[in-house]
Amino acid sequence: MDMRTGINLRTPGATPEEFQQDLLDNLYYRRGTTVESASAQDAYETLALTVRDRLAERRARTAAAHYAANPRWVYYFSAEYLLGRQLEQNLLYTGTAEVAASALKAVGFAPEEVKELDVEPGLGNGGLGRLAACLLDSMATLDIPAVGYGIRYDLGIFRQTFENGAQVERPDDWAFQGDPWEFPAPDDRQVVGFYGTVDNGVWTPAETVLGEPSHMLVPGHGTDTVNIVRLWSARASRESFDLSRFAHGQYAEAVQDAVRAENISKVLYPDDSTELGRELRLKQQYFLVSCSLRDIIRRFQLRNTGWDAFADKTVIQLNDTHPVLAVPELMRLLMDEYHLDWDTAWAITRRTFAYTCHTLLPEALETWPVPMLERLLPRHLEIIYLINLHFLEEVRDRFGPDTDRLRRMSIIQEEPDRRVRMAHLAVAGTAAVNGVAELHSQLLAETTLRDFAELWPDRFHNVTNGVTPRRFLRIANPPLSALISEGLGGDGWLRDLDLLAGLEPLADDPAFRQRWRAVKRQNKIALAAGDPDSLTDVMIKRFHEYKRQQLKLLHVVTLYHRIKNDPTTVRAPRTVLFAGKAAPAYHAAKAIMRLINTIAHLVAADPAVSPHLKVVFPANYNVTLAERIVPAADLSEQISMAGKEASGTGNMKLALNGALTIGTLDGANIEIRDRVGADNFFLFGLDARQAAAVRGGDYQPRRHYDDDPELRAAIDLIGGLGFADVAGSLLGRDEYLTLADYRAYLDAQDRVEQAWHDQDSWTRMSILNTARSGFFSSDRTVTDYCSTIWKAGPVRPGNGDAG
Ligand code: NBG
């Protein structure tokens, strides 16, 4: 047998007896314990290993098929991944959920209890990190040869708790108990340099750190493909422990070099709004790309010689600007270590990379101080200067000596201080640039990156985001999935979400509607956030002023006043649920959170109001919690100021689960509304053009306050509760036009109440939302990337009989 191409591993058994035997073997041989003394943690880890083995066998066949095909690879570079829990996913993808449950019971454990021990690796902040995970799932499902590269942070996104209503951040030591899903691969470690000097183009780093990878398996659904996501941990080199200092009792000093090195992968940065540790963050970015590029070159050289084929066999997608140092790093590797000339290296580099932009907020476009780069990565700065030189020549050739334009487009910002503009480097150094929703891509080309779109119109694309229906419908919402499969006569929709369109006729079937409603009710009972018969109104996302949680809050306060004045005016009892985290240093967002908790108490303590209105704010929003909230939602709040939300993906998850959206014409809301139909979507507010015009004009939020008694009462109440800062910022600048959109929002909420009153018609709209959300599958997103940007196709693993 050819061990590389015709692997003949023993296929793990599929019968309950075989599964149970494997579970016992793992318990005794790998976990080293016995049935009599096993803890629940033992049971969990043993189950994880048993399921993992089934994926590992598929992984071996996938790797063999990839090796034989020597295909074009897609590499996804992302500083963040929010993978969610692994156990349920892997039980589903291996088809072992039932046998696993009965095997667990047979050895004396409750499956539900064991499942709760599965910890979600929170290696990301929000939508950007979850998108990365959805794309990995879809790439595997579509059999695309792909590897995700990232950092294995010891501490993921902080665990959120509330103390006196205020967010308190606690460390998220997610792998404290070990992580049964990981395969360490220490032999693939890489050496990464920092600081030092450059002499004639030769860089001598002053400090080196090791990058050690481990990978997790990324199975496809309904296929044997199992891809991987490879995460790097920083380690000190062997000599870093100072024995003589230790011998002299200098214990802290003895390990200081090791601690310094290992700090690189210690924590996920909560986001850019904190000044702290900026150099460490830059080190992380370089660490990620340096390790990953060397790993890619190593993999390339397994099957190819020379460099001619590199850009044909490799496409590297840069997830936002965090990994953009990959551009100068690949140039450096090709020139300094493999001795290619500039033009050849540049041609390869430009063809290899593509860049996705995820924002329109100017403050979110990363820049790095030139002196910091000069100190940390002196050779890279030289290369960036050279890239800029060539780039500005191209601009000059095309537009003439327009100094204003040259200054605007330069990769180096000169005023007020010298900085490297990572987004400019990204556009200059890649073959394709994309936004993440139609409107976003259009605004990118018209505003944020306009000069670049004028220079290279063909480089700009749109790829609208999507979400994986496996996790966000099948795993999160089993009862609805079962009903859908019954309605459609099969579960083909799991791999072809457009099939959901087949539900449309059932929206007019009263019996089906009733069952649909019963499922929603059952999910609300499971969530236990409030009365299952109330309208469950959810706003779940990161806290940011542009997303306008404060607007939702003004609505809640207005409802409170209306109920107090006359309870009969409010026709729909509501449970309003907020969830989300704020960047630790983002004080304005944290004040809004405290205010939500304060209002929640106020409402709960008022017996005249509490039967009609409830406000809940569960702590520590993450993928696991989203999977519980999304299936229970009736109303999805997508109320950002138009022109600010690049796409949103929570909006897609909620619509897919039959929630109706109340939203502005922003991000992917526009495409959701186009698809589900204007009648099944509650639209309000200024559009992006209008919002920009109001912002650019003489906007006076106080006029709205003066003219609208309900708004005035709401803001006064907020001020009176001791939140003068929140009230003041609304009445002062009102950066995100909360007051300008207030009345339109309230009117739209009145339409929601009216619609809720007719439950049959509401349920019809709910079914239509699901039926028409097929487009928002991340399978479609990946298909779009493959055809417009990656030019990559599938490779399917054999069945294991070959050889
Ligand atoms: C976020 C946007 C969202 C978008 C996700 C995924 C960043 C920088 N951007 O609107 O705010 O849905 O990216 O594209 O996290």
Side-chain angles (χ1 to χ4, degrees), residues 335-372:
M335 292 192 306
D336 299 357
E337 299 196 5
Y338 294 97
H339 310 294
L340 302 188
D341 60 64
W342 177 278
D343 289 343
T344 312
W346 184 244
I348 293 173
T349 299
R350 267 276 327 276
R351 280 181 60 210
T352 299
F353 290 111
Y355 159 58
T356 306
C357 178
H358 294 266
T359 190
L360 281 164
L361 307 182
E363 67 270 23
L365 292 177
E366 266 187 316
T367 61
W368 292 106
V370 166
M372 191 192 284

Side-chain angles (χ1 to χ4, degrees), residues 80 125-129 131 319-320 322 356-359 364 436 465 546-547 644-651:
E80 303 187 18
N125 279 295
L128 176 147
L131 179 76
N319 196 26
D320 221 83
H322 317 138
T356 306
C357 178
H358 294 266
T359 190
V436 290
N465 284 342
Y546 85 77
K547 295 179 187 276
K644 292 291 173 190
E645 188 69 88
S647 163
T649 46
N651 47 4

Side-chain angles (χ1 to χ4, degrees), residues 9 93 234 257 262 333 372 399 468 528 608 626:
L9 295 183
Y93 286 33
D257 285 353
E262 290 171 10
L333 289 168
M372 191 192 284
F399 297 102
T468 169

